[in-house]
Amino acid sequence: DLAGSEKSKKTGATGAQLKESNAINKSLLTLGTVINRLSDGAKGQHVPYRDSKLTHLLSASLGGNASTAMLACISPTDFNREETNSTLRYASRAKKIVNIAEVNEVDNLESFMDNYWNEVELMKRQILEAKQAGYDMTAESERSKELVEKNLKKVKETLQDDKIYYEKE
């Protein structure tokens, strides 16, 4: 069944547990709506990703540039027949969603690296200007500067590992 989709009669949930169960069911209902819209394949049709936190988080995986795997867990018992049928219908619709995942590549490495170095230099100037203006640099700001330096080092190492040599003068 859909993890968390529960009938309150079956579980006997009350109070906070019932409220949580209702919120989960609402998110799963929205997920079902999103999957219906995507599986129809109709172009230009509004897909309500933002109607729940769950669908908003899954939007890139459901209808974006990604390869996605979904698992449907079902039960052989008669007691769970309704949930099993619902899950199978859901899985059937989800199977119809077609994403064409493409590898994101940098077209021009030199241009990309120029932009990266320019952004780093801008951040360094902003830090220096803030210090000169008497801004009290906090430990957090110092940590940010350390992270920038660390990321620069990683980029250089990656470029060298990939046998790509690029140095900004």
Side-chain angles (χ1 to χ4, degrees):
D1 68 13
L2 296 175
S5 70
E6 299 162 348
K7 300 216 179 286
S8 55
K9 277 185 179 178
K10 271 189 175 181
T11 62
T14 59
Q17 189 178 15
L18 179 61
K19 189 174 180 179
E20 181 181 353
S21 178
N22 287 340
I24 291 169
N25 284 337
K26 182 180 176 195
S27 287
L28 292 174
L29 178 67
T30 305
L31 177 61
T33 302
V34 166
I35 287 173
N36 281 339
R37 297 274 170 86
L38 292 171
S39 66
D40 287 346
K43 298 287 182 194
Q45 190 177 26
H46 172 70
V47 180
Y49 291 116
R50 294 188 175 176
D51 286 0
S52 81
K53 289 179 185 178
L54 176 66
T55 53
H56 187 68
L57 288 171
L58 293 175
S59 61
S61 297
L62 291 171
N65 185 23
S67 293
T68 306
M70 292 185 154
L71 301 176
C73 299
I74 58 174
S75 170
T77 66
D78 190 47
F79 180 74
N80 292 318
R81 182 186 316 186
E82 189 177 331
E83 285 85 358
T84 295
N85 288 338
S86 174
T87 300
L88 290 172
R89 283 191 302 272
Y90 160 83
S92 176
R93 289 190 311 265
K95 190 170 76 169
K96 294 177 185 176
I97 298 172
V98 177
N99 283 352
I100 301 171
E102 297 177 10
V103 176
N104 296 326
E105 294 183 23
V106 175
D107 292 333
N108 184 339
L109 180 64
E110 189 171 329
S111 174
F112 175 79
M113 290 307 299
D114 279 340
N115 289 337
Y116 182 82
W117 286 108
N118 289 337
E119 190 174 335
V120 169
E121 290 302 319
L122 174 66
M123 288 188 285
K124 285 181 177 180
R125 279 195 307 275
Q126 289 172 339
I127 290 170
L128 182 62
E129 289 171 7
K131 281 184 177 178
Q132 290 173 345
Y135 179 75
D136 182 27
M137 298 299 289
T138 62
E140 185 176 324
S141 296
E142 288 298 327
R143 176 75 177 128
S144 295
K145 184 177 176 183
E146 289 171 14
L147 288 173
V148 167
E149 295 297 330
K150 184 178 176 182
N151 285 336
L152 274 174
K153 185 178 176 184
K154 283 183 182 178
V155 168
K156 286 180 183 178
E157 289 170 358
T158 301
L159 291 175
Q160 288 173 351
D161 289 346
D162 292 341
K163 306 290 187 261
I164 300 170
Y165 299 97
Y166 180 82
E167 194 63 39
K168 178 72 173 166
E169 297 174 4

